[in-house]
Structures are given as C-alpha cells and as structure tokens.
Amino acid sequence: MESKLMSGISKELANRIAHFARFPQTGVSLRQMVEFGQNPSQGTLLRAAQFLHDELPIRLAHRVVELDSLPDNLNQMPSVLRVKRMYIDSFNELINFPRVSDRIKSAVKAATVQGMMERRHLPSNYPNPACSDIQRSTSTHWIPSIQHRSYHYEVKPTELPVEVSEYNRSFVKALERIKRRHDPVVTTLAHGVVEYKQLLNTDRIDNHVQHFLDRFYLSRIGIRMLIGQQIELNQQRRHPDYVGVICTHTRVADVVQEAIDNARFICGDYYMLMNVPEIELHCPKDLAFMYMPSHLHHMIFELLKNSLRAVVELYGDESEKYPAIKVVVAEGNEDITIKVSDEGGGIPRSAIEEVWTYMYTTAQTPMLDPEFDKSDFKAPLAGFGYGLPLSRLYARYFGGDLKLISMEGYGTDAYLHLSRLSNNEEPLA
C-alpha cells in the first residue's frame, strides 16, 4: 500500500484498508433482500445495519486497493485520484462509525425469538452466470464475526429501547452522505480514462483497463443497491409491490413503455424533429416479475436511444417517414427476453466488440465535466460511449445479459436477457 496514491493518508488508515481488502465480499440476491426486508422492525433494520457496517468497508477497500494498483500511470490521473479519495473517505467514515452498544445488543438479544424453529434462514444463492466473465477474486478467507449474514431471528418490535431506532436513523444518515459523495463517480472516473488516453495519445483502452472498469462499475452497482435498500427500508413507506427499492411485481410493459416515451422525447428534442420514429411494443400486459424497475428502465432507455439515433442518422432528420423500431418481450421459464430491433443500417462485424468498450462512440463526444454529479449518463442522446457497457453490467448484476446481433446495411437486434431466478447471487469483483 506504499504508493503515491496512498501518501495522503495516515499509515494506520492505509493498513486498515489493506486489512479489510484481504476479506472476501459477501454476495446477496434479490430474493434474500426481499425475504429479509419484508415487514422490517427496528430490530431487523439494526441487524441489516450491522451487516452493512461489516460488508461495505470490505467492498470499498477492494476498490481502493485495485485503484492503487492500476498500471501505466492510470492510478495517477487527477480524476482517478478524486475517485480514490471518495472511496477512502467513505471507508474511513464507516470504520469510525460507532458500533452497536452493549445496551442495544442486550435489548435486541432479549427481544429476539430464541426458539430454533423460529430462526428464519434466508434462501440460498445460485451462482451468477456473469461471474465467469467478471469475478476475478481468488480469496478464500472467512470472517467469523459476520456469520449472522446467512439467517436472522425475528425480533419483537415492541420491546426495544428508543436507542435502537436512534442508531438506525444515525446510520442511515451516514449512508445518505456516502451515497451523495459517490454520485459523480461514473463521470469522474470516465474523465480519468479521458486523461489516461490523452497521456498515452491513444483513442482506445486495453483489455486490462476494460476489465477493471467492468469490475469497478459492477461493484458500484452493488454498493448503491445495498445502500439504497437500507435507506428505503428505514423510510417505512409501505407499498404492496415494493420491499425497499425492489419491486416484487415489476410490470414489464409499464416500465418499457415509460422508457419508450422518454427516449422518443429525448430524440425529438435532440434532433428537433416533428416526426419522431415510432416504437412498437409487443409485450403481454400482465407480465411481471421480481426486479429493479429503475435498472430495467435504464437498460431499455439506452438501447432505444441507440436505435433512434441510428435510424434518424441513416434516413436524415428531414425524413417524412422512418421505419418503426420494434420491441418484443418474450417470457420463458428462466429468462424474460426483450428484443429491440431497428433498421438503422447495422454495425460492421469488425466493430461489434468495440461497442462494449468504454468511451467508444461513433458520435461526437462532448466535454466531460468532472464536477458533474449525476450517477449515470442519461443525456444527451449520445456521445459518451458508456450506455451499452453499463447496461450490460446492470443486466449481469442479477444474472442476465445483453447481446447484439447486427446486419450491416440493414439494422441491429439487441437481446436483453433478464433472469427470473431471483436467487442469483451478485457477481462480485
């Protein structure tokens, strides 16, 4: 850990980061988060806070160490240093956040149902199909202090002291600060890649950097998922279809239609069109499954933006009629598959792999503002080259995938596979 990147922090903090980075991350699944978060009491929320208090520093430390070891001076780019500082600050805040007091522990223990028949095991995880492509960790360490991760006891909500709810509120405030601190991570790290490419005088990144970005952004999705779930559960807002940020009955047609409307609006505004290409949706109205609606919207929105741009730029922005883009949703036993088909001229076969490369784009790339504080690229219509790579990570996070099949001279079909197996574990970097 003795590097220029770590020189701005104390030796004690650097040693603690190295210590936490030696432990493995613990993956969770949609099903586990839903099972744990149903009808949460203050005692249940406290146990979730204890899990995050253990788990988040481990995940943050892994990213700090990896950022520190990036080759070819990528770890010295000013924007990369800013990202590293965010992760160090959040790590430091969490490890210095007060542990649960003995009084609170005693109260929770007293209110805990002790009968073994009433100990509720969380469902087991399935291996995530994306792990083979993304997971690089070979750690085999185990952390005895967090064995409560695999199950939890029911806690009587009426027998807990007020200190429990006060602790939960305090921890959530810390998580909200961390979440806000990390809002600009995607764009700041993207700026770091631009700086790196300028340093090397190249317009491409190599496979090592590509794999790093996949792992880093996938980890970020997981961290924000855990933080968002804990914050939302503590809000105690009741909705019959939601457990935290997870929708147990995500209506696919509704989410896709919203993405269609938003993408067409952005397209019309960007090209100043009176006649925006039509998008036909073919989807069973009653199709629903457990998923994150925001993730689904993000992926469909990005695919539709690409298709709309391809069609408009092929036929011209003064065309009176464009071929319709078709969105077809099919329900299978394992996956829900969404196909987005356009007649936008297609992609040369030699360029198919390039579209998954970060910062690769055929559009004019706008200047990146390192102070931009949005969590993802949502506008303009095109130009940053992050839409497809990030969308594929969102798909893989819960066991799905995103693939492209293109006919140069005609158009492109994008296949978005969404796993219905909600026990798929996160792919951990």
Side-chain angles (χ1 to χ4, degrees), residues 44-58:
T44 303
L45 294 174
L46 180 67
R47 291 193 177 277
Q50 289 178 287
F51 168 72
L52 292 183
H53 205 172
D54 287 327
E55 176 67 15
L56 290 178
I58 294 172

Side-chain angles (χ1 to χ4, degrees), residues 100-383:
V100 177
S101 68
D102 290 339
R103 169 177 162 75
I104 293 178
K105 288 180 181 178
S106 298
V108 172
K109 184 177 181 179
T112 298
V113 178
Q114 297 293 343
M116 291 301 292
M117 294 300 292
E118 295 174 292
R119 185 176 72 172
R120 184 149 65 90
H121 283 262
L122 295 178
S124 300
N125 288 342
Y126 297 147
N128 191 310
C131 285
S132 59
D133 289 336
I134 298 168
Q135 191 167 9
R136 297 290 187 267
S137 175
T138 58
S139 176
T140 58
H141 292 80
W142 177 243
I143 310 172
S145 63
I146 50 177
Q147 288 180 351
H148 64 273
R149 293 173 177 208
S150 62
Y151 63 83
H152 70 92
Y153 294 93
E154 298 292 346
V155 180
K156 301 174 184 177
T158 59
E159 299 182 11
L160 295 174
V162 67
E163 287 90 342
V164 175
S165 58
E166 289 175 350
Y167 184 92
N168 286 333
R169 283 195 296 270
S170 178
F171 188 70
V172 164
K173 287 181 180 178
L175 292 181
E176 288 172 339
R177 287 193 299 271
I178 291 170
K179 190 170 185 289
R180 285 193 299 271
R181 179 183 295 131
H182 288 244
D183 277 346
V185 161
V186 172
T187 44
T188 306
L189 190 56
H191 200 277
V193 174
V194 171
E195 294 165 347
Y196 172 70
K197 290 164 67 175
Q198 290 173 345
L199 175 70
L200 299 182
N201 193 26
T202 181
D203 59 354
R204 297 182 182 275
I205 59 176
D206 60 27
N207 288 336
H208 181 86
V209 176
Q210 175 75 15
H211 290 319
F212 156 72
L213 291 171
D214 274 344
R215 293 193 302 273
F216 186 90
Y217 287 131
L218 190 72
S219 172
R220 183 177 183 274
I221 292 171
I223 289 171
R224 292 180 75 83
M225 179 78 189
L226 293 177
I227 289 177
Q229 181 73 351
Q230 183 72 2
I231 292 173
E232 189 64 27
L233 288 176
N234 274 269
Q235 299 298 326
Q236 298 290 330
R237 290 188 286 239
R238 294 288 185 263
H239 189 288
D241 289 341
Y242 277 83
V243 177
V245 295
I246 302 167
C247 183
T248 59
H249 200 71
T250 301
R251 294 167 177 81
V252 178
D254 292 347
V255 177
V256 174
Q257 186 59 57
E258 182 181 3
I260 288 172
D261 295 340
N262 291 342
R264 293 187 76 239
F265 174 81
I266 291 291
C267 179
D269 183 65
Y270 184 80
Y271 290 107
M272 294 183 290
L273 298 177
M274 295 295 293
N275 177 33
V276 180
E278 294 292 332
I279 301 177
E280 301 174 359
L281 174 59
H282 304 274
C283 176
K285 292 294 184 184
D286 59 348
L287 178 57
F289 74 129
M290 184 187 297
Y291 208 70
M292 283 278 292
S294 60
H295 286 194
L296 177 56
H297 180 277
H298 174 87
M299 293 182 286
I300 298 298
F301 180 62
E302 290 295 335
L303 292 175
L304 291 174
K305 282 200 307 180
N306 286 346
S307 289
L308 285 166
R309 182 171 71 90
V311 169
V312 171
E313 294 191 356
L314 179 65
Y315 287 84
D317 57 11
E318 296 183 357
S319 176
E320 295 183 359
K321 186 174 179 59
Y322 299 99
I325 296 166
K326 297 180 177 62
V327 180
V328 180
V329 182
E331 180 181 11
N333 292 327
E334 294 184 4
D335 288 347
I336 290 173
T337 303
I338 303 176
K339 181 175 74 170
V340 178
S341 300
D342 66 59
E343 298 177 29
I347 304 168
R349 189 158 53 93
S350 61
I352 285 291
E353 288 304 314
E354 297 283 355
V355 302
W356 303 113
T357 303
Y358 294 93
M359 306 304 295
Y360 172 84
T361 177
T362 57
Q364 179 66 36
T365 302
M367 290 298 294
L368 285 171
D369 180 1
E371 303 302 321
F372 186 72
D373 64 352
K374 301 301 180 185
S375 60
D376 294 304
F377 295 113
K378 295 183 179 178
L381 187 70

